[in-house]
Amino acid sequence: MARIALRQLLDHAAEYGYGVPAFNINNMEQIVAIMAAAREADAPVILQASRGARSYAGDIMLTRMVDAAEAMHPDIPICLHQDHGNDEATCLSAIQYGFTSVMMDGSLESDAKTPASYDYNRDITRRVTDLAHAVGVSVEGELGVLGSLETGKGEAEDGHGAEGAVARDLLLTDPDQAVEFVQDTGVDALAIAMGTSHGAYKFSRRPDGDILAIDVVKAINERLPSIHLVMHGSSSVPQELQDEFNRWGGEMPQTWGVPVEEIQTGIRHGVRKVNIDTDCRLVMAAEIRRIATEKKSEFDPRKFLQPSIDALKELCRQRYEAFGAAGQASRLRPLPLAEMARRYRAGTLTPGAPAKDAA
Ligand code: G3H
Ligand code: 13P
Ligand code: ZN
């Protein structure tokens, strides 16, 4: 069995200079596609589940499907990660269900809408980090609020995130405050605000440095060279996918996502985890639409879902290759969580001390 803590995986990614896509999962088809791509690419896997995913599939169903993926692909290290945990209970129940990593997103209050104060964020993240590390589980924190530098608004239109206008100094993570936050909380990975937002409608034009602040990544990486940075809202929403979706009756207005080349620049400057959900949804939905349009008499769900699995597999394979994660799975030997816990206790896994050197 090859379940791996996020910290060990990202330490490896930092050592070898690659990034790991973190794909959101909700159902069997997505897990099957991501794992098939990872096997083909020999890539380590981050499967992440939002609160919405956990309630959609149910914790037991979701985690048993991940158990099955692990049994079917024993040579592929899998990190199971809680995406956007909103409070201690969400993070701790994920750990009870076998997650090896949790995001405590204290950038927002527990309603997941209201921007939180620094002190609130620091305190709740610190509490979760202490508890998670005691059992060897990794923690991702977030500093700064996701939202658009074009409109100055949070991302509530996507169904979650801050509502209305958000101050610009919250929409861009402050590098000096990032140093303080990492020291205060002991997180293993840091999600930052840099102009990305969740969902398909990130930018109204191809993003440049004014609206996608790669400079913030560089500035944080200069001050904190050994913290693992996380880019949320990192779907690329490729033009060809938008066209394919619309070709089969979809109605997606023209939009721009985060270009893969910008993510690659981020990876050269400390980004190790790259969150992708929207692209996976879009590629599957386009295929389902295509079958529904081309084969109007079809009613076997498998005939809709198998092509969507195949298309998602190809998208995931491309991201594994583009981020440099391909070929890395076989170089990793997952440490048991008990060993990770021992290292945290011994103080050898403070931010910046790689797991491999800490034996
Ligand atoms: O956090 C954003 C992810 O895309 C998850 O979305 O909350 O609709 O599952 P969700
Ligand atoms: P996208 O909506 O860009 O895929 O972002 C997903 C994400 O950040 C999940 O936490
Ligand atoms: Zn996110």
Side-chain angles (χ1 to χ4, degrees), residues 24-26 48-53 83-84 155 158 160 198-199 232 275-278 281:
N24 285 75
I25 54 163
N26 300 267
Q48 61 183 7
S50 67
R51 283 189 293 146
D83 192 23
H84 293 283
E155 47 166 13
D158 187 42
H160 42 64
H198 295 110
H232 281 248
N275 284 14
I276 298 175
D277 187 1
T278 297
R281 294 177 177 191

Side-chain angles (χ1 to χ4, degrees), residues 8-20:
Q8 192 199 350
L9 174 51
L10 299 192
D11 281 352
H12 189 264
E15 186 181 358
Y16 292 97
Y18 65 95
V20 188

Side-chain angles (χ1 to χ4, degrees), residues 283-301:
V283 77
M284 294 190 93
E287 277 303 272
I288 290 167
R289 282 197 169 282
R290 180 176 69 79
I291 305 295
T293 310
E294 284 187 332
K295 301 185 179 158
K296 294 213 186 299
S297 62
E298 187 56 69
F299 59 88
D300 178 349

Side-chain angles (χ1 to χ4, degrees), residues 7-340:
R7 176 61 186 268
Q8 192 199 350
L9 174 51
L10 299 192
D11 281 352
H12 189 264
E15 186 181 358
Y16 292 97
Y18 65 95
V20 188
F23 295 117
N24 285 75
I25 54 163
N26 300 267
N27 58 32
M28 183 196 80
E29 286 75 15
Q30 291 170 319
I31 297 172
V32 165
I34 295 161
M35 293 310 300
R39 164 161 269 176
E40 222 168 86
D42 183 33
V45 170
I46 301 173
L47 299 175
Q48 61 183 7
S50 67
R51 283 189 293 146
R54 287 177 60 187
S55 62
Y56 172 74
D59 282 327
I60 294 178
M61 180 64 77
L62 197 71
T63 52
R64 298 275 164 93
M65 287 191 294
V66 176
D67 290 346
E70 222 177 317
M72 289 169 72
H73 304 277
D75 300 331
I76 305 284
I78 300 176
C79 169
L80 178 58
H81 174 80
Q82 169 73 55
D83 192 23
H84 293 283
N86 63 320
D87 60 15
E88 294 96 327
T90 299
C91 294
L92 296 185
S93 63
I95 294 171
Q96 286 174 317
Y97 277 103
F99 285 57
T100 52
S101 177
V102 295
M103 176 186 192
M104 177 58 238
D105 182 356
S107 70
L108 301 173
E109 292 182 4
S110 60
D111 63 2
K113 286 187 180 136
T114 312
S117 69
Y118 177 84
D119 287 2
Y120 171 92
N121 190 1
R122 177 199 57 211
D123 292 349
I124 196 166
T125 306
R126 175 83 254 173
R127 286 197 294 278
V128 169
T129 303
D130 286 345
L131 293 165
H133 285 179
V135 289
V137 167
S138 318
V139 178
E140 172 186 336
E142 175 165 325
L143 185 65
V145 173
L146 296 191
S148 164
L149 295 171
E150 276 188 280
T151 64
K153 287 189 178 158
E155 47 166 13
E157 86 285 348
D158 187 42
H160 42 64
E163 283 171 342
V166 176
R168 194 177 163 86
D169 64 341
L170 287 179
L171 291 173
L172 287 172
T173 302
D174 175 57
D176 293 325
Q177 202 176 47
V179 174
E180 198 183 325
F181 185 77
V182 168
Q183 278 164 359
D184 284 351
T185 60
V187 290
D188 302 285
L190 180 68
I192 59 174
M194 52 182 286
T196 65
S197 53
H198 295 110
Y201 307 105
K202 303 180 194 302
F203 305 110
S204 69
R205 57 183 163 91
R206 190 183 160 86
D208 56 21
D210 288 342
I211 56 177
L212 176 62
I214 288 287
D215 280 358
V216 168
V217 174
K218 294 180 183 167
I220 297 174
N221 183 237
E222 267 170 32
R223 285 180 184 62
L224 288 166
S226 45
I227 192 75
H228 305 308
L229 300 180
V230 182
M231 278 174 70
H232 281 248
S234 290
S235 278
S236 303
V237 204
Q239 188 63 51
E240 61 274 17
L241 258 186
Q242 294 179 48
D243 293 344
E244 186 67 7
F245 179 77
N246 287 339
R247 180 175 171 206
W248 304 110
E251 292 186 1
M252 176 170 280
Q254 180 64 49
T255 183
W256 279 265
V258 183
V260 167
E261 313 83 71
E262 299 289 344
I263 297 170
Q264 289 168 328
T265 303
I267 291 170
R268 284 195 292 279
H269 295 275
V271 170
R272 300 293 161 225
K273 175 171 178 280
V274 182
N275 284 14
I276 298 175
D277 187 1
T278 297
D279 282 351
C280 304
R281 294 177 177 191
L282 189 54
V283 77
M284 294 190 93
E287 277 303 272
I288 290 167
R289 282 197 169 282
R290 180 176 69 79
I291 305 295
T293 310
E294 284 187 332
K295 301 185 179 158
K296 294 213 186 299
S297 62
E298 187 56 69
F299 59 88
D300 178 349
R302 294 171 298 185
K303 299 292 192 323
F304 295 83
L305 293 170
Q306 186 60 55
S308 73
I309 292 174
D310 297 341
L312 177 56
K313 176 184 160 192
E314 178 53 21
L315 181 128
C316 295
R317 200 193 54 73
Q318 288 173 11
R319 297 295 183 274
Y320 286 129
E321 299 282 349
F323 300 167
Q328 300 292 347
S330 47
R331 304 171 78 173
L332 265 161
R333 216 152 305 288
L335 293 166
L337 289 189
E339 174 58 17
M340 295 300 287

